[in-house]
Amino acid sequence: GNSVTQMEGPVTLSEEAFLTINCTYTATGYPSLFWYVQYPGEGLQLLLKATKADDKGSNKGFEATYRKETTSFHLEKGSVQVSDSAVYFCALTGQGGKLIFGQGTELSVKP
Amino acid sequence: NAGVTQTPKFQVLKTGQSMTLQCAQDMNHEYMSWYRQDPGMGLRLIHYSVGAGITDQGEVPNGYNVSRSTTEDFPLRLLLAAPSQTSVYFCASRLRSENTEAFFGQGTRLTVV
């Protein structure tokens, strides 16, 4: 079945550091790929998405590229801020439309 | 614009009690789903629905029932609460197309003692 694997956290960075959170997936067919973010005490909200191979999703300085050959969708940001502290979830939708999540990666950014 | 509304926000139950977690959306979304969030486990799909009158099981359906009598509402029922059901529950909705954004409620923190 479909599944998503994320790098384990927590990840602690200093402000302005470079961020990478790895995500790989297993899926039949051609899934759509997403990154969701969860700020403390809140529900999840969409950060970015990509719907086909080689697409790049971007939002708020975050980027991720849909790599079919490596089945990956790694999240990157060139310079993180304290306000980026949150839990980040990689997810996919495949056949049947179920949205499947990875285990989440907690990011803490220190001033 | 209310989006996805979950009630209650917090609940404490005793083992063996029953309760219903409410979820309503006002965006006319066909697809609704329930997840539970546990530390280190991410979000796991409990049940989902692709439209009124249609429901199906997700990854962890045991101990939970759902129904979808209207497009707007998708309640989650716990019939005999167990401590293993202590978790944070999220309801989500989206249009049926697979590449559309899912909108989440604020969550219900449930403790079963």
Side-chain angles (χ1 to χ4, degrees), chain B residues 56-81:
Chain B
D56 205 347
Q57 296 180 351
E59 183 184 354
V60 287
N62 292 341
Y64 308 95
N65 283 344
V66 293
S67 59
R68 183 94 179 271
S69 56
T70 67
T71 299
E72 293 79 19
D73 299 299
F74 191 45
L76 179 72
R77 297 182 188 85
L78 285 71
L79 296 179
L80 288 171

Side-chain angles (χ1 to χ4, degrees), chain B residues 19-92:
Chain B
M19 79 161 294
T20 300
L21 279 62
Q22 301 291 345
C23 176
Q25 53 93 7
D26 62 358
M27 297 172 282
N28 204 31
H29 286 169
E30 302 98 330
Y31 201 102
M32 296 185 74
S33 50
W34 277 102
Y35 294 86
R36 58 178 290 173
Q37 183 178 22
D38 302 291
M41 307 285 288
L43 274 77
R44 291 182 291 169
L45 182 64
I46 304 171
H47 286 286
Y48 65 101
S49 168
V50 299
I54 306 169
T55 63
D56 205 347
Q57 296 180 351
E59 183 184 354
V60 287
N62 292 341
Y64 308 95
N65 283 344
V66 293
S67 59
R68 183 94 179 271
S69 56
T70 67
T71 299
E72 293 79 19
D73 299 299
F74 191 45
L76 179 72
R77 297 182 188 85
L78 285 71
L79 296 179
L80 288 171
S84 60
Q85 293 178 304
T86 294
S87 187
V88 181
Y89 292 84
F90 288 98
C91 178

Side-chain angles (χ1 to χ4, degrees), chain A residues 3 13-14 23 36 46 49-50 67 73 81 89 100 103:
Chain A
S3 66
L13 295 173
S14 298
C23 171
Y36 282 83
L46 180 67
K49 70 177 184 181
R67 301 284 188 203
F73 193 54
Q81 305 301 311
F89 291 92
I100 305 298
Q103 65 268 45

